[in-house]
Amino acid sequence: MEMHHYLRLTFILLFVLTSFVCIYFIIKKGKDRKGPKLLSNEKYNSSMTGGMTEISTSDSFFNIWPYVSELKAAKILSKKIKESDLVHKVYRNSTEDFEHILLATETENHFVKIVVDKNKKKVLGYLFLNI
């Protein structure tokens, strides 16, 4: 074989190896994607200091809709429920550090509760609530 055949085979081999490395990292990145976090009982109980009082949904300052979209993408919440019917109740603890937002599900008396840390201005996670 001539030299240009070896060069062509070398470039093809480099292309194939580079493709496999790229595919590997794309698959790995997809698996490492963080989704909504399920709260542990300890974290949930620590957010309920003092007692909870119900507040109106308009008094809640936190924008939950990006997190709700993540919950829908992870199939924790149904996409069939209208956003206007989604927020059932909002509770705030006595120190006003945390808000608990109850989201309706398709099943009656079953809710998804989102816990929001008002000081850090972020969602701590979610948990399932059966009443």
Side-chain angles (χ1 to χ4, degrees):
M1 288 186 126
E2 293 182 34
M3 186 67 174
H4 71 279
H5 290 297
Y6 289 118
L7 257 162
R8 185 178 297 159
L9 287 175
T10 304
F11 283 124
I12 290 172
L13 182 64
L14 282 174
F15 175 75
V16 169
L17 287 175
T18 306
S19 300
F20 280 131
V21 169
C22 290
I23 290 170
Y24 170 76
F25 283 114
I26 289 171
I27 291 172
K28 185 176 179 185
K29 184 178 179 182
K31 287 183 181 179
D32 292 341
R33 189 178 345 164
K34 291 184 178 179
K37 181 180 176 185
L38 182 64
L39 278 180
S40 65
N41 286 331
E42 295 85 28
K43 280 200 173 189
Y44 172 68
N45 291 333
S46 70
S47 70
M48 294 185 63
T49 55
M52 304 300 285
T53 57
E54 185 178 345
I55 62 172
S56 76
T57 56
S58 61
D59 289 341
S60 178
F61 79 100
F62 191 76
N63 181 12
I64 62 166
W65 301 113
Y67 194 75
V68 168
S69 296
E70 289 180 23
L71 290 172
K72 286 182 178 181
K75 296 183 181 175
I76 296 166
L77 282 176
S78 173
K79 294 180 182 181
K80 295 178 183 177
I81 301 173
K82 297 178 188 175
E83 286 188 4
S84 60
D85 298 333
L86 195 60
V87 177
H88 182 67
K89 291 188 180 190
V90 179
Y91 295 96
R92 188 176 288 158
N93 69 344
S94 61
T95 59
E96 296 191 0
D97 293 331
F98 297 99
E99 286 185 358
H100 292 209
I101 303 167
L102 266 67
L103 303 175
T105 60
E106 290 182 324
T107 309
E108 190 175 334
N109 296 329
H110 288 75
F111 300 96
V112 173
K113 184 183 271 192
I114 297 175
V115 179
V116 176
D117 187 341
K118 287 181 60 177
N119 296 330
K120 294 181 182 177
K121 297 180 181 173
K122 72 174 198 172
V123 176
L124 292 179
Y126 74 94
L127 67 137
F128 297 104
L129 182 66
N130 300 329
I131 298 179

